[in-house]
Amino acid sequence: MPDVLDASPYDALLLLSFGGPEGPDDVVPFLENVTRGRGIPKERLKEVGQHYFLFGGVSPINDQNRALLDALRADFAEHGLGLPVYWGNRNWAPYLTDTLREMVRDGHRRILVLATSAYASYSGCRQYRENLADALAALEAEGLELPKIDKLRHYFNHPGFLEPMIDGVVRSLADLPEEVRDGAHIAFTTHSIPTAAADTSGPVEDHGDGGAYVAQHLDVAQLIADAVRERTGVDHPWQLVYQSRSGAPHIPWLEPDICDHLEERHAAGVPAVVMAPIGFVSDHMEVLYDLDTEATAKAAELGLPVRRSATVGADPRFAAAVRDLIVERAATERGQDVAPCALGALGASHDLCPVGCCPARAPRPAAAGADSPYA
């Protein structure tokens, strides 16, 4: 039997994700959830949903989360971490409020949250915290006893998140034709966000051009590029680029876009490109469509050999990293000295999001932070 790991004072883990449609009839209602309050006509949503219809109306994110749940439960059982794991989504079933209600009725009162976003940003962190506050408000209105909720720190530079991505880039390089392999360029990709949101990401002291969002991605890209050089003996040029822009044309978003970048690299004489989606935990729609479909088609049009490296997904090393983060946070809550595990120049992220971190355009209550109305 494994030694029992101490997760106290926590009694449950909540996997909190974005959610996605599971069939054609779900696509428009799902997009209505995502865009709630923006007044987007249903006909426009049907146009936007074409990406999903290309894949039978099914987003892969839900199956990816089911696989991660299985990996977490197996890892916890193997290593003696007696923490039940639940799953709730922002925009589709199982909905966060329903899951949180289930957890409360099951008797859980100290809940840790793992969000499927590794980096600091409004959409990747604070918005999830706002969703948690909304769910807690709904339970409070029902007269239920509210749990205390904490969110695990950003894990972008944890070895268990980095190592699978390093392996993926090395495998993708090895899969390129030998004559172009050593000259291949690495395009590290992440979700584009408005520059204003990037500039205010992270704690106030980190605000500036690109904020913590860009700084964290650059740190990860450098760590992976260094590891690839150590493993292959080749120093591949690289750049951080962006994908999946969805905003109004007049609002500045982070650039360059991956397709524009492929054109520019091809014009510069680069013989091949590996696209490494470091901003995504799993192969969900942005990866399958924007990279595997759209960007790959652009590369074929250019005659540019490309490969797309794997995301972390349900890799056992990532599940082990989550276990490590839980044990670390639990020890901190018990007042013990902890040496957080983190690589790179930025060190371990904060446990508690400070006031002014990744602010919203219109202030809203957010749980699991220094400004939480739910202590």
Side-chain angles (χ1 to χ4, degrees):
M1 294 291 293
D3 294 333
V4 175
L5 296 177
D6 190 359
S8 64
Y10 298 107
D11 55 26
L13 177 71
L14 168 62
L15 176 66
L16 179 54
S17 193
F18 193 83
E22 305 224 53
D25 293 342
D26 296 342
V27 173
V28 171
F30 163 73
L31 292 173
E32 288 175 332
N33 287 342
V34 173
T35 61
R36 186 181 295 111
R38 301 183 204 172
I40 299 176
K42 183 170 289 190
E43 291 307 311
R44 174 59 183 150
L45 294 178
K46 289 180 181 178
E47 294 175 17
V48 173
Q50 289 307 310
H51 296 180
Y52 291 98
F53 292 126
L54 287 174
F55 294 87
V58 178
S59 169
I61 193 171
N62 291 329
D63 280 343
Q64 292 281 342
N65 282 326
R66 292 183 183 102
L68 180 56
L69 284 169
D70 289 343
L72 291 171
R73 288 166 178 157
D75 180 272
F76 292 1
E78 181 181 353
H79 293 90
L81 183 63
L83 206 65
V85 186
Y86 293 74
W87 171 33
N89 289 324
R90 174 189 293 172
N91 297 300
W92 202 249
Y95 288 103
L96 169 58
T97 300
D98 295 336
T99 299
L100 204 56
R101 183 185 299 109
E102 177 188 1
M103 297 177 79
V104 168
R105 288 176 173 167
D106 286 348
H108 300 298
R109 296 295 180 267
R110 290 297 304 270
I111 296 170
L112 264 176
V113 173
L114 168 67
T116 54
S117 174
Y119 302 86
S121 70
Y122 170 73
S123 57
C125 183
R126 186 177 179 89
Q127 192 172 14
Y128 281 114
R129 293 175 49 226
E130 291 175 352
N131 300 147
L132 286 166
D134 291 342
L136 288 169
L139 299 190
E140 188 175 37
E142 296 171 13
L144 295 175
E145 183 179 350
L146 298 187
K148 186 179 187 303
I149 294 178
D150 291 320
K151 179 177 173 291
L152 288 171
R153 66 176 172 89
H154 302 301
Y155 45 85
F156 62 92
N157 56 4
H158 194 287
F161 185 67
L162 289 165
E163 288 164 1
M165 293 191 292
I166 294 166
D167 286 351
V169 173
V170 171
R171 284 195 299 269
S172 292
L173 287 166
D175 192 49
L176 284 167
E178 186 175 359
E179 62 271 18
V180 300
R181 187 178 305 150
D182 287 353
H185 170 88
I186 305 173
F188 293 106
T189 77
T190 190
H191 208 301
S192 184
I193 61 175
T195 57
D199 291 345
T200 57
S201 60
V204 173
E205 61 269 20
D206 293 342
H207 290 178
D209 290 348
Y213 185 75
V214 172
Q216 290 170 359
H217 281 88
L218 287 172
D219 201 40
V220 167
Q222 186 66 66
L223 285 164
I224 295 174
D226 289 346
V228 169
R229 182 183 64 249
E230 291 172 6
R231 295 190 190 184
T232 66
V234 178
D235 191 8
H236 291 273
W238 62 269
Q239 186 173 338
L240 177 63
V241 302
Y242 303 93
Q243 60 173 93
S244 311
R245 175 185 171 133
S246 59
H250 67 280
I251 297 175
W253 283 52
L254 292 173
E255 296 178 336
D257 176 76
I258 178 61
C259 289
D260 295 337
H261 182 66
L262 292 175
E263 288 186 339
E264 187 273 334
R265 289 291 80 203
H266 178 256
V270 166
V273 173
V274 167
M275 301 181 292
I278 60 173
F280 304 90
V281 172
S282 66
D283 287 6
H284 49 69
M285 189 57 68
E286 282 86 349
V287 175
L288 293 189
Y289 182 80
D290 296 334
L291 294 184
D292 292 356
T293 305
E294 191 173 48
T296 299
K298 171 58 69 175
E301 173 190 318
L302 297 168
L304 178 67
V306 294
R307 297 293 186 273
R308 196 269 291 174
S309 65
T311 54
V312 172
D315 190 288
R317 290 168 292 184
F318 182 44
V322 174
R323 168 172 39 89
D324 180 63
L325 290 167
I326 292 168
V327 172
E328 171 197 302
R329 181 62 181 273
T332 299
E333 288 295 302
R334 295 194 302 269
Q336 298 173 335
D337 290 332
V338 174
C341 186
L343 302 178
L346 299 181
S349 184
H350 48 262
D351 279 331
L352 191 68
C353 292
V355 175
C357 193
C358 304
R361 286 175 294 178
R364 291 182 55 204
D371 55 355
S372 172
Y374 300 100

